[in-house]
């Protein structure tokens, strides 16, 4: 395949020289109505990606298609799921897609079929969860476990936590909540203390998640929990399981009830589909719910194979993002889910996007001459409207917007006030914000004038369910992957995470000098 930098592609030169679109003009009046009807791509699980309010037209779409073709983006996707070494920084395969489906040929490494390896772990976890739920597995008093607590950081926390919170209320009203879940991530002792305070540890099951078995924050919090269990007169080995690699010190460790495995081919921020997410979510909701979630993701992965950008929502979303970043010069993207259930989804996408594509060298280690990943932030609507939307509407910085909305509420509990339900009011706000950002408003009073021209897209679904949530997660994973391919960077390592960890270990070992030594003294370390 042809691995070229973005600025070496002829299609990118053509894209830069294409007349830009005035969002305000094209979204006003009947033109806007036609765009909303036509600029939409079907997604899995009945969802749709609508990009009518983005700064593109048919000519720019053709240029983006040419860019996708010249960069061989879908061929690179196929190379990834067929087991080529895509993570060049660590010389590893990238196989999180295999946790949810077999998209291509078998991937066999050192005699191990990786798809079979991942599904075996899912089956082991399902059996374990069913035994916990049935009361076959109990604490030392023969009593059932009632709560599950995940101990992990980064990808071992953000993705699983976001997915749990997204489905917690759905599970309650559908009688699928088997165990309440909580999460400990920060090495700040107040985080673990807050979770443990008042917790019924006697009936709690803890999951320690660390691929290497050496993650400082996670092991520290694990020891914190073990200490709390011992002080309660409990045996930690009857209250803890591990999710780790087969070669880590946590594997086959007598201090745990059981261990479930992942491998180096699943990156942390892509690990919700692996044992990292499978254990806590299967215990919380049951293996059948987790399977529905994976099926929704698998369907999205399948649609991401289509080379036609007008039929491939993840690819089109990615390319529009590259256009906004590298041609229009926008630095930031706001993720705005109009669903309270997705309250932590923007935080997960921050890690997914910024840890993947926050790079300044290409996949071979050579500097690139263009910007890469955007800054990601966001909050649920309508809360965000009463927070940072002022800057988004009238600030000098244009921020592309990514809305997510659903026609129906999760819990089905609503009331009619002033002629409409709360859910209708929520959806009305999504629609209004898209048009307000795009079209603005003229006013003789400059303080009340809105320039408009603020680009946005929206993903619309019927209802947030396990399957539609899986589709949503996979959409963004595939979008980030396609952008990394377009920028010719490695989206699957994270060297930027390591330097601070190394220096922190020096501080704790009292091996410091210069500014580091003085900061250590200021904190009385």
């Amino acid at each position: 395949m042809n691995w070229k930098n973005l600025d070496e592609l002829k299609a990118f030169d053509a894209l830069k020289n294409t007349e830009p679109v005035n969002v305000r003009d094209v979204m006003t009046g009947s033109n806007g109505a036609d765009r909303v009807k036509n600029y939409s791509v079907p997604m899995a699980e009945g969802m749709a990606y609508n990009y009518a309010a983005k700064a593109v037209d048919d000519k720019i779409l053709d240029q983006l298609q040419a860019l996708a073709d010249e960069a061989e983006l879908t061929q690179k996707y196929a190379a990834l799921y067929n087991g080529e070494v895509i993570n060049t920084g660590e010389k590893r395969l990238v196989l999180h897609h295999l946790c949810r489906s077999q998209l291509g040929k078998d991937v066999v490494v050192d005699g191990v079929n990786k798809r079979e390896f991942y599904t075996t772990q899912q089956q082991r976890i399902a059996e374990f969860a069913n035994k916990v739920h049935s009361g076959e597995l109990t604490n030392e008093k023969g009593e059932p476990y009632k709560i599950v607590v995940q101990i992990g950081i980064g990808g071992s926390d953000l993705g699983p936590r976001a997915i749990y919170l997204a489905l917690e209320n759905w599970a309650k009203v559908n009688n699928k909540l088997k165990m309440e879940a909580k999460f400990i991530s920060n090495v700040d002792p107040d985080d673990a203390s807050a979770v443990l305070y008042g917790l019924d540890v006697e009936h709690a099951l803890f999951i320690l998640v660390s691929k290497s078995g050496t993650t400082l924050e996670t092991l520290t919090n694990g020891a914190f929990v073990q200490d709390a269990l011992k002080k309660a007169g409990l045996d930690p080995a009857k209250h803890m399981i591990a999710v780790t690699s087969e070669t880590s010190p946590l594997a086959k460790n007598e201090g745990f009830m059981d261990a479930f495995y992942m491998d180096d081919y699943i990156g942390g921020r892509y690990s919700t589909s692996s044992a990292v997410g499978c254990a806590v979510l299967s215990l919380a909701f049951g293996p059948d719910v987790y399977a529905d979630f994976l099926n929704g993701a698998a369907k999205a992965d399948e649609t991401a194979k289509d080379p036609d950008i007008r039929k491939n929502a993840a690819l089109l979303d990615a390319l529009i993002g590259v256009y906004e970043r590298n041609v229009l010069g926008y630095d930031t993207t706001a993720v705005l889910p109009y669903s309270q259930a997705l309250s932590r989804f923007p935080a997960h996408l921050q890690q997914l996007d910024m840890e993947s594509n926050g790079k300044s060298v290409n996949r071979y280690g050579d500097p690139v001459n263009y910007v890469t990943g955007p800054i990601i932030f966001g909050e649920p609507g309508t809360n965000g409207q009463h927070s940072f939307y002022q800057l988004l509407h009238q600030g000098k910085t244009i921020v592309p917007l990514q809305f997510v909305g659903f026609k129906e509420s999760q819990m089905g509990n609503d009331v009619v006030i002033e002629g409409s339900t709360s859910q209708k009011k929520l959806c009305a706000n999504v629609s209004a914000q898209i048009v307000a950002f795009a079209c603005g408003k003229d006013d003789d009073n400059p303080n009340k004038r809105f320039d408009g021209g603020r680009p946005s897209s929206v993903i619309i679904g019927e209802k947030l369910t396990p399957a539609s949530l899986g589709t949503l997660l996979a959409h963004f994973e595939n979008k980030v992957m396609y952008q990394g391919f377009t920028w010719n960077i490695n989206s699957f390592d994270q060297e930027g995470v390591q330097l601070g960890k190394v220096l922190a270990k020096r501080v704790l070992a009292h091996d410091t000098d210069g500014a580091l030594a003085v900061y250590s003294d200021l904190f009385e370390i």
Side-chain angles (χ1 to χ4, degrees), residues 164-184:
Y164 172 76
L165 292 175
L167 294 178
E168 182 181 24
N169 288 325
W170 173 90
K172 288 177 180 177
V173 298
N174 286 279
N175 198 29
K176 293 290 187 179
L177 187 64
K178 308 291 186 181
M179 303 171 72
E180 182 186 359
K182 294 183 179 294
F183 297 82
I184 298 172

Side-chain angles (χ1 to χ4, degrees), residues 24 72 122 131 197 205 265 268 301 312 320 383 411 461 518 525:
R24 178 167 181 163
E72 299 179 318
Q122 291 166 4
K131 288 179 180 179
Y197 185 80
L205 184 61
Y265 305 135
D301 292 338
N312 185 336
I320 291 175
N383 295 25
M411 302 184 74
V518 178
I525 297 172

Side-chain angles (χ1 to χ4, degrees), residues 338 380-390 403 426 429-430 433:
Y338 275 62
T382 57
N383 295 25
Q385 293 177 199
H386 297 269
S387 175
F388 51 81
Y389 277 37
Q390 170 61 43
F403 291 95
L426 181 69
N429 273 277
V430 183
Q433 290 294 333

Side-chain angles (χ1 to χ4, degrees), residues 375-450:
I375 299 164
I376 303 293
F377 75 98
E379 284 288 332
T382 57
N383 295 25
Q385 293 177 199
H386 297 269
S387 175
F388 51 81
Y389 277 37
Q390 170 61 43
L391 184 148
L392 301 183
H393 275 294
Q394 291 183 306
K396 295 293 288 183
T397 300
I398 294 180
V399 178
L401 314 165
Q402 191 125 38
F403 291 95
V404 180
F406 297 91
K407 300 174 188 177
E408 299 179 26
S409 65
Q410 265 196 328
M411 302 184 74
N413 181 33
D414 209 340
V415 62
V416 176
I417 299 175
E418 296 181 357
S420 63
T421 64
S422 297
Q423 185 67 23
K424 294 299 183 186
K425 290 179 175 66
L426 181 69
C427 294
N429 273 277
V430 183
S431 305
Q433 290 294 333
I434 294 171
V435 174
F437 279 119
C439 299
K441 180 176 77 76
D442 292 325
D443 199 293
D444 292 337
N445 182 346
N447 198 49
K448 297 181 181 294
R449 185 181 305 131
F450 293 75

Side-chain angles (χ1 to χ4, degrees), residues 473-494:
L473 178 78
H475 170 87
F476 283 105
E477 287 182 351
N478 292 326
K479 171 190 175 179
V480 167
M481 168 200 70
Y482 271 131
Q483 288 184 327
F485 289 159
T486 308
W487 286 315
N488 198 30
I489 58 177
N490 180 12
S491 299
F492 306 105
D493 65 1
Q494 55 283 332

Side-chain angles (χ1 to χ4, degrees), residues 81-92:
Y81 61 69
N82 281 318
E84 293 195 22
V85 178
I86 298 297
N87 180 348
T88 50
E90 297 169 314
K91 296 180 173 58
R92 292 175 180 169

